[in-house]
Amino acid sequence: MNLLHLFDLSFTARRDQPALEWEGRTYTFGDLDARSDRTAGALRAQGLVQGDRLCVQLPNSIDFVDLYLACLKLGVIFVPINVLYREREVAHIVNDAEPRLFLQQPLEGIDGSTPRPTFDGDTPAAIIYTSGTTGASKGAVLTHNNFAANAVNLLTSWQITASDRFLLTLPLFHIHALGNGLHCWLMSGCRTRLLERFDHRTALGEFEDFHPTLFFGVPTVYVRLLDTPPDVAQRIGATTRLFVSGSAPLAPDVLERFRALFGHTILERYGMTETFMTVSNPYGGERRGGTVGLPLPGVSIRIERDELLVKGPTVFSGYWRRSVPDAFTADGYFRTGDIASRDADGYITLRGRRSDVIISAGFNIYPREIEELLGAQPGVREAAVVGVADGLRGELPVAFIAGDFDAAELERVCREQLASFKVPRRFVRVDSLPRTALGKVQKHLLKAQD
């Protein structure tokens, strides 16, 4: 079985039902099936065959959906590229993936039958390049089985059904929207409204007009939503049953403020491009602030020397044309590079990236602990802590902060609540933190500024 068999739950069984709202028009599942058939015809006319790669650099649109579905129908490997990437970043991916075709605008569809090639769940469906927050991005090869196992897990664990109304504003070139959003939508058969992007100036109007029951966001989106007038927040909260956050750590104070404003506890979960979703706070149980929850069904978790290791049906098998011998343990666990701890009852708490750990005079400093303290202080919009070289101690923590703050007061708070070796040696004012499209702070760029 492959993804097309699972999507037929909607394309065949719900053919005449509303599927997608895009730019004021509603498309049925049958419309999407027919559109992607025509797009598949256009790709076939360009010479693409099973196993070829198609690179696509497009913003959210129905055309993006058409291209992805067309690739699945042809057995072509879909390679989405971040729309914010510049020539150098795009060239790296194109040179690595070696696509038969690279599209930055839609093709004109061609009518005709689309014979489906024969392939199983182990066939690659997509190559998604990592965000490259610490260096050149690598292409994670993701199979039909990886995508399917992830979606089945989320449909079950988050109780997503055909009766849901899903507001999708995250970029489809990322695993969060493509792997979670698009696949949960097409497999559940729920009605979805797709936006090109999340725009805080118009977001509340979209919520009040569409009345979604389901919303996926990243921490920066939820920070923006904290500016919602209380009466509007209560109306939105009355119709939305589930808010999910991922792709970057959610500050505990944002969780609490959102709960007070909207009447909902955001469900925080954890995953990676290479692993899809592996850990989630429960839908029906305690959503514990500061944690990412419990392992999802079929996922095995291990913590070795403070690093989180994962194994399961959603975990990829390797990078495109690149051998990374130390990526997996001898018994098949993927080394995530994330520092984590596990409570007695199983809840996982992330402490930061192994590459972010600051070692000062032999002491390990986890930046996230300092960042959460700084982020809770008046006037601080966002904060990131990085290690900078020091001849005596090896590294010293330095805080980069956006907002209106008093450095002396922040230092006083840190000295009161942190061990002395954790106190940042400098508090550097910045207009904003450099982030990826999904909100991950690019700390290597901050180090370059110091």
Side-chain angles (χ1 to χ4, degrees), residues 65-76:
V65 176
D66 292 340
L67 283 165
Y68 177 65
L69 293 175
C71 283
L72 293 182
K73 290 180 176 183
L74 294 175
V76 169

Side-chain angles (χ1 to χ4, degrees), residues 152-160 267 280-284 296-297:
V152 169
N153 260 355
L154 300 187
L155 293 178
T156 302
S157 299
W158 298 346
Q159 297 291 282
I160 300 172
L267 187 152
S280 172
N281 271 275
Y283 178 72
L296 285 164

Side-chain angles (χ1 to χ4, degrees), residues 272-310:
M272 303 177 68
T273 302
E274 294 93 334
T275 68
F276 290 88
M277 300 305 102
T278 56
V279 182
S280 172
N281 271 275
Y283 178 72
E286 179 192 359
R287 299 178 195 173
R288 189 174 299 173
T291 80
V292 289
L294 305 162
L296 285 164
V299 175
S300 298
I301 294 292
R302 195 163 76 203
I303 296 177
E304 255 179 32
R305 293 188 292 277
D306 295 331
E307 182 180 8
L308 184 66
L309 311 182
V310 302

